[in-house]
């Protein structure tokens, strides 16, 4: 990641800093795991693509169910989804990945990256199918892995792994 | 040939994969042909619905998921030690590399160092597995374009016979021809037996010789050329957008190989020559795989000469299911599998640290198959078979 | 062979006065047994295979057909269409999405037909058996003649399985076949919710339901969806009768939590 890219990312994310926190500087930009608000998801991907991260790697959605407060964990976060996107720059000799995370409320959709990367088509369909995260603007968001008439999203934490499916199991 | 020949770098007009078929010519008599989940093309259970105007395909819609075994859900219930044999079955033609991808993610999350001998052995095993996997790919592609009873089958027999030599070596090392379960967090479980390196060198040299014979038979064959030259040209920008970096991307001009560009194991100590093409058609993909096979043979032969001494695992041997504990962390690790970038995105911290919270496998074959709605329209069915064969998808990792 | 024709009223018992006359001719029974032996030998040594190869066992199946352990020398070639095949070799995991297709293809095979379950995924679902999308063994919807264990079985084991099938065919045609013995069950084994097709305590309504599902395969599952609206109560009643958990049928349905549905 070049210093220009880091500065550009910091400039993009700075206006959305939470109140009371210091705005992001170029040194705070890391290649893995930055939290990005959902509204800046596509803008960040565009910026990265313009700076050489042109290979779409993957998108990973996970479900974090709301837990009850316990002694060990008195203030657990409410139910949310986390979507991580990974891009790679195919530079000869020095290829790196960049990945960031977006936190979504249940039912909140995330903008699709299909306009920038054709590979987002199937990856986002798969995450919709398995985890249930909606991608706004996706041309054809339907199930990929499960049969079309399947109910439920299997990779959610409250979905039983041995759910029966009459008449085959 | 007069006129400009289209290739991966020139502007090739691509069909819209989400085109509504009613917008196509209303006078045309369209036929729906279902290349169903069971078909003789040996690439697993995968369905393509072809909408055809006569012999020419107008739209292709693909439906994966016939082998969805819920592996990612299963891994949320298993411990780290139990995951390696599960992940073997994803890309079942190159299981060594699957295991390496997953164990490297665990090692990155645990920040454990792998001893040099183990990394050296891992490199040798990865290269030998790459040879075996490419032999399957080359054999089945020739089977597809040559016919199952006839010319294609003879090349298939030759490549599988050579692959048996490598599988014998793996059986001697790990006990299984397939699904080895030989990698573990921190290194290897099985050490190289005495004399194995010598036998491996002999076997790989034999394969190297036989590859010459096989190549001469195939590449000059006019039927092979007719069926593969200029068929299924994948433009470079689409390969990048779809995330294709393996042989398919390299045949389309994406000069990326994780062994050279983001080295792991012992790849930073050796030179990896990466073949690329700009034509982007089936022949280019075939040639890239063929040249990669030769390169992998050369690397493996060079590395088998000087295996360093030392321990093969930096942690104590795994003797119970719960012996690896990773409190928390998130990592992404990508390795170069024979099909492209095989990645593991690990969110650790589930099951009290004994297992992953979410483990996503980034399968290169899924991206390879998503090329189909772009490449198939405008071709005949016979070209469709050739294109599907040249993409070399493995449904075990597409569907997981 | 198929269980369906045991009670099937459509089975025809073949009688013909010419056959009765032939059987009364002295010495003809010797010729008939010799011809019968010839037919048995021909039948068991020319088993054309239908490869239902879904996953890793499919690669081992291909390797068995390749040069080292050659199945072609047993007279078995791989045919891509079920209409020309005698043996269906199910090699690999069968998922819920694939199962109706397998059943349909099995029904499309003409008699006499046999089935080989290759690999532990086809026998019992392997370690995937408790997963939402995997059928725990193909013998829940089709009768299996030979089980070949392994993950995956070696090519030699597959060859041995084929030879066992040949022995079984000879024994069946000679009339010396002893009915299938129950597989030994261990105490820790997970019993699947749907019993094997030949188990006495299997629900008799299950096979017609499976047959219906495979027959109603449309291109986009529209028939499934229509049937499901009426059939969901039936499915839940069945699940309750088998003591299967019914709340999981409602879990995560479009994001609605389970407690709100009543």
């Amino acid at each position: 990641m070049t210093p220009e890219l880091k500065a550009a990312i910091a400039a993009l994310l700075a206006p959305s800093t939470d109140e009371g926190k210091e705005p992001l500087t170029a040194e705070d930009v890391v290649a893995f795991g930055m939290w990005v608000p959902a509204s800046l998801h596509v803008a960040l991907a565009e910026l990265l693509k313009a700076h050489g991260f042109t290979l779409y790697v993957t998108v990973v959605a996970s479900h974090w169910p709301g837990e009850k407060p316990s002694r060990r964990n008195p203030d657990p976060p409410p139910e949310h989804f986390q979507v991580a996107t990974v891009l790679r720059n195919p530079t000869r000799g020095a290829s790196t990945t960049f990945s960031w995370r977006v936190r979504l409320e249940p039912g909140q959709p995330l903008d699709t990256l299909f306009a920038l990367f054709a590979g987002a088509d199937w990856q986002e369909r798969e995450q919709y199918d398995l985890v249930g995260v909606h991608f706004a603007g996706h041309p054809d968001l339907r199930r990929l892995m499960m049969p079309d008439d399947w109910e439920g999203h299997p990779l959610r934490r409250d979905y039983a792994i041995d759910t029966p499916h009459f008449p085959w199991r | 040939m007069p006129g400009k020949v289209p290739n991966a770098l020139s502007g090739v007009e691509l069909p819209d994969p989400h085109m509504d078929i009613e917008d196509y010519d209303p006078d045309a008599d369209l036929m729906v042909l279902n290349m169903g989940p069971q078909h003789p093309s040996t690439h697993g259970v995968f369905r393509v619905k072809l909408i055809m105007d006569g012999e020419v395909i107008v739209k292709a819609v693909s439906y994966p998921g016939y082998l969805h075994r819920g592996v990612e859900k299963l891994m949320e219930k298993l411990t780290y030690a139990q995951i390696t044999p599960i992940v073997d079955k994803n890309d079942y033609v190159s299981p060594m590399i699957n295991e390496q991808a997953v164990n490297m993610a665990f090692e990155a999350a645990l920040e454990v160092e792998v001893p040099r001998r183990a990394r050296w052995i891992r490199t040798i095993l990865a290269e030998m597995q790459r040879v075996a996997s490419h032999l399957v790919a080359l054999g089945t592609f020739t089977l597809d374009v040559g016919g199952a009873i006839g010319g294609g089958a003879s090349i298939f027999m030759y490549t599988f016979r050579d692959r048996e030599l490598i599988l014998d070596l793996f059986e001697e090392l790990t006990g299984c021809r397939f699904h080895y379960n030989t990698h573990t967090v921190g290194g290897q479980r099985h050490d190289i037996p005495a004399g194995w390196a010598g036998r491996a060198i002999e076997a790989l040299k034999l394969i190297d010789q036989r590859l010459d014979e096989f190549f001469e038979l195939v590449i000059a064959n006019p039927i092979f050329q007719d069926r593969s030259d200029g068929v299924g040209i994948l433009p470079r920008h689409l390969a990048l957008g779809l995330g294709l970096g393996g042989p398919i991307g390299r045949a389309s001009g994406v000069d990326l190989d994780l062994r050279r560009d983001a080295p792991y194991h012992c790849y930073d100590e050796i030179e990896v020559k990466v073949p690329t093409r700009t034509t982007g058609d089936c022949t280019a993909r075939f040639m890239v795989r063929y040249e990669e096979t030769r390169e992998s043979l050369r690397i493996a032969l060079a590395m088998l000469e000087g295996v360093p001494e030392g321990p093969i695992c930096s942690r104590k041997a795994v003797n119970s299911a719960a012996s690896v504990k990773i409190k928390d962390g998130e990592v992404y690790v990508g390795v170069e599998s024979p099909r492209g970038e095989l990645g593991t995105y690990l969110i650790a911290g589930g099951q009290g640290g004994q297992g992953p919270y979410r483990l996503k496998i980034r399968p290169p074959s899924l991206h390879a198959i998503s090329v189909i709605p772009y490449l198939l329209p405008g071709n005949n069915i016979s070209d469709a078979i050739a294109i599907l064969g040249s993409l070399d998808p493995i449904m075990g990792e597409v569907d997981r | 062979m198929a269980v369906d024709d045991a009670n099937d009223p459509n089975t025809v018992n073949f009688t013909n006065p010419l056959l009765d006359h032939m059987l009364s001719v002295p010495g003809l029974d010797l010729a008939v047994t010799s011809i019968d032996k010839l037919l048995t030998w021909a039948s068991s040594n020319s088993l054309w295979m239908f490869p239902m190869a879904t996953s890793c066992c499919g690669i081992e199946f291909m390797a068995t057909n390749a040069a080292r352990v050659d199945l072609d020398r047993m007279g078995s070639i791989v045919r891509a269409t079920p209409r020309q095949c005698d043996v269906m070799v199910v090699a690999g995991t069968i998922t819920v999405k694939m199962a109706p297709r397998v059943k349909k293809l099995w029904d499309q095979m003409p008699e006499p037909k046999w089935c080989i379950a290759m690999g532990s995924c086809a026998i019992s679902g392997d370690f995937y058996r408790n997963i939402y999308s995997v059928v725990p063994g193909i013998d829940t919807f089709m009768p299996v003649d030979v089980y070949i264990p392994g993950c995956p079985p070696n090519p030699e084991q597959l060859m041995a399985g084929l030879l066992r099938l040949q022995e079984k065919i000879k024994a069946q045609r000679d009339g010396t076949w002893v009915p299938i013995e129950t597989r030994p069950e261990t105490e820790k084994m997970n019993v699947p919710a749907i019993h094997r097709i030949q188990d006495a305590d299997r629900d008799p309504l299950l096979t017609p339901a499976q047959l219906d599902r495979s027959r109603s395969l449309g291109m986009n599952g529209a028939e499934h969806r229509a049937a499901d609206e009426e059939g969901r109560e039936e499915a839940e009643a069945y699940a309750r009768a088998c003591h299967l958990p019914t709340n999981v049928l409602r879990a995560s349905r479009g994001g609605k939590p389970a407690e709100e549905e009543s």
Side-chain angles (χ1 to χ4, degrees), chain C residues 36 40 167-179:
Chain C
D36 204 44
T40 304
E167 287 173 27
K168 179 171 181 174
I169 293 171
K170 288 192 185 91
Q172 277 178 342
R173 288 187 63 98
D174 289 342
T176 58
W177 177 248
V178 175

Side-chain angles (χ1 to χ4, degrees), chain A residues 21-103:
Chain A
K21 288 204 187 148
E22 296 202 359
L24 214 57
T25 59
E27 281 83 41
D28 296 328
V29 173
V30 285
F32 188 89
M34 271 177 41
W35 287 101
V36 171
S39 50
L40 292 175
H41 179 66
V42 178
L44 180 59
E46 264 175 28
L47 179 66
L48 286 164
K49 188 173 177 184
H51 280 258
F53 283 81
T54 49
L55 193 84
Y56 184 80
V57 176
T58 190
V59 62
V60 183
S62 42
H63 177 221
W64 299 76
E67 290 157 15
K68 298 193 201 57
S70 66
R71 203 160 26 102
R72 200 179 303 171
N73 197 1
D75 189 20
E79 183 186 6
H80 64 280
F81 293 87
Q82 172 188 307
V83 177
T85 313
V86 185
L87 299 177
R88 180 180 281 280
N89 68 333
T91 325
R92 187 183 165 131
S95 172
T96 54
T97 53
F98 189 93
S99 127
W100 70 94
R101 296 181 275 187
V102 177
R103 189 179 150 134

